[in-house]
Amino acid sequence: MASLSALLLRGPSLLRPCPQLSAARTYAAGGDFKYIISEKKGKKNNVGLIQLNRPKALNALCQPLINEMNQALMTFQEDPSIGAIVLTGSEKSFAAGADIKEMSDKTLQFCYSEKLLKGWDNMSQVTKPIIAAVNGFALGGGCELALMCDIIYAGENAQFGQPEILIGTIPGGGGTQRLTRVVGKSLAMEMVLTGDRISAQEAKQAGLISKIFPVEKLVEEAIQCAEKIANNSKIVTQMAKESVNAAFETTLAEGIRLEKKLFFSTFATDDQKEGMSAFVEKRKANFKDN
């Protein structure tokens, strides 16, 4: 959750946006954004793309940035044309953590009134698949943000870590919980207790990410994956996401029961009939998302 941008940089930093986003327009119900760039991508404009855009602070997660990200997420969530979402940062930093200046003087009473980290976990309520495209630093809250996504792709320069212990606190955005479930107790405990980072290669070996790409190709690859997902039945995709997530939140027996109920539920959709008919007839399915 903590930002170490002051330690990561010896002087001011100017980060260039990803090349694919340099001419991006904003896409939001409420108008232009200050801390993010949001647009539709893909051949069918069925992928929502959100780029964290606070370069001088290595995309440190201040509350206004979180608010804008949540607004963009809800816009894509409610847009029936969007089938999947990609979340990225710059080529140098996905997100270096929370904004320490913003939280350093907060009190216990302030924290317990739920004013600190307000809305940080809204992403976990989004039912459409979210792909994190991580280049550079994903530290503290940045790592926790990636962990809330459904798929993580990483650039070759990616670094993941939970360095909160180094500034006298612990992860507060799910780092001790989601990280442990993904990489296991030993590695999670080492990362949390030492503040040490792991590379993209180490993260892949640990199961934290699924694929590694060259820095300049990362966002493009994530969008291509999102397009594949978006071209499937949106309603069935949401069922699949719910079922996989249940594996982290329930017992095996409960998860199997939920999976079976969701599997049976697909037979109430037109898309199941279309998908199976297309398979039998050896043609491409034409899903209508119902």
Side-chain angles (χ1 to χ4, degrees):
M1 178 180 62
S3 172
L4 296 185
S5 57
L7 298 178
L8 294 168
L9 298 178
R10 294 296 181 182
S13 172
L14 295 176
L15 309 181
R16 69 181 188 277
C18 296
Q20 299 90 335
L21 307 178
S22 58
R25 61 178 179 83
T26 55
Y27 173 72
D32 291 351
F33 291 123
K34 181 178 180 181
Y35 296 110
I36 68 170
I37 297 171
S38 178
E39 64 173 338
K40 290 185 175 183
K41 300 291 285 187
K43 295 177 182 178
K44 300 179 181 178
N45 279 332
N46 57 0
V47 173
L49 179 64
I50 301 173
Q51 181 197 11
L52 307 183
N53 188 36
R54 199 182 174 208
K56 292 183 180 180
L58 291 175
N59 292 331
L61 302 172
C62 61
Q63 192 61 51
L65 184 152
I66 294 296
N67 294 342
E68 289 186 1
M69 182 186 70
N70 285 339
Q71 182 184 345
L73 284 170
M74 287 304 103
T75 299
F76 288 138
Q77 169 77 358
E78 295 169 5
D79 187 335
S81 70
I82 296 296
I85 300 167
V86 173
L87 177 67
T88 192
S90 70
E91 290 190 356
K92 188 170 185 179
S93 180
F94 176 72
D99 192 325
I100 300 307
K101 291 181 180 179
E102 190 179 69
M103 65 171 60
S104 61
D105 62 347
K106 297 299 184 288
T107 64
L108 175 65
Q109 290 80 2
F110 181 92
C111 295
Y112 260 94
S113 66
E114 297 185 356
K115 294 179 181 178
L116 187 64
L117 303 184
K118 185 177 182 180
W120 273 53
D121 60 350
N122 284 12
M123 179 179 292
S124 63
Q125 305 304 313
V126 175
T127 60
K128 295 179 180 180
I130 304 174
I131 302 172
V134 178
N135 270 322
F137 305 120
L139 306 178
C143 185
E144 291 169 318
L145 190 63
L147 283 165
M148 279 189 278
C149 296
D150 302 299
I151 298 170
I152 305 177
Y153 280 4
E156 294 171 330
N157 67 342
Q159 297 181 37
F160 298 85
Q162 298 289 164
E164 289 85 352
I165 198 77
L166 303 177
I167 57 170
T169 187
I170 70 170
T176 65
Q177 301 303 302
R178 291 190 177 94
L179 183 65
T180 304
R181 284 166 168 77
V182 172
V183 305
K185 177 183 175 181
S186 182
L187 180 56
M189 194 71 82
E190 181 181 10
M191 292 173 67
V192 170
L193 296 185
T194 66
D196 289 347
R197 310 172 202 165
I198 61 173
S199 67
Q201 291 72 23
E202 291 170 315
K204 189 174 189 303
Q205 291 175 353
L208 178 60
I209 66 176
S210 57
K211 292 181 181 178
I212 301 173
F213 296 99
V215 170
E216 67 278 6
K217 293 288 187 180
L218 175 66
V219 175
E220 176 186 343
E221 293 289 346
I223 291 172
Q224 288 181 9
C225 177
E227 283 188 279
K228 290 180 182 179
I229 294 170
N231 288 334
N232 294 324
S233 166
K234 294 180 179 62
I235 187 171
V236 176
T237 294
Q238 291 179 32
M239 290 181 187
K241 172 175 173 173
E242 180 182 354
S243 189
V244 173
N245 280 335
F248 290 89
E249 300 165 0
T250 64
T251 65
L252 176 59
E254 291 169 335
I256 292 295
R257 282 195 292 271
L258 175 63
E259 179 188 73
K260 188 168 293 185
K261 288 179 181 178
L262 289 169
F263 169 65
F264 291 160
S265 295
T266 66
F267 286 77
T269 69
D270 293 336
D271 283 346
Q272 174 269 330
K273 301 295 186 295
E274 166 62 15
M276 292 192 177
S277 295
F279 178 83
V280 172
E281 297 165 10
K282 298 182 179 180
R283 60 176 175 82
K284 186 176 180 179
N286 182 24
F287 295 122
K288 301 295 185 181
D289 305 320
N290 53 40

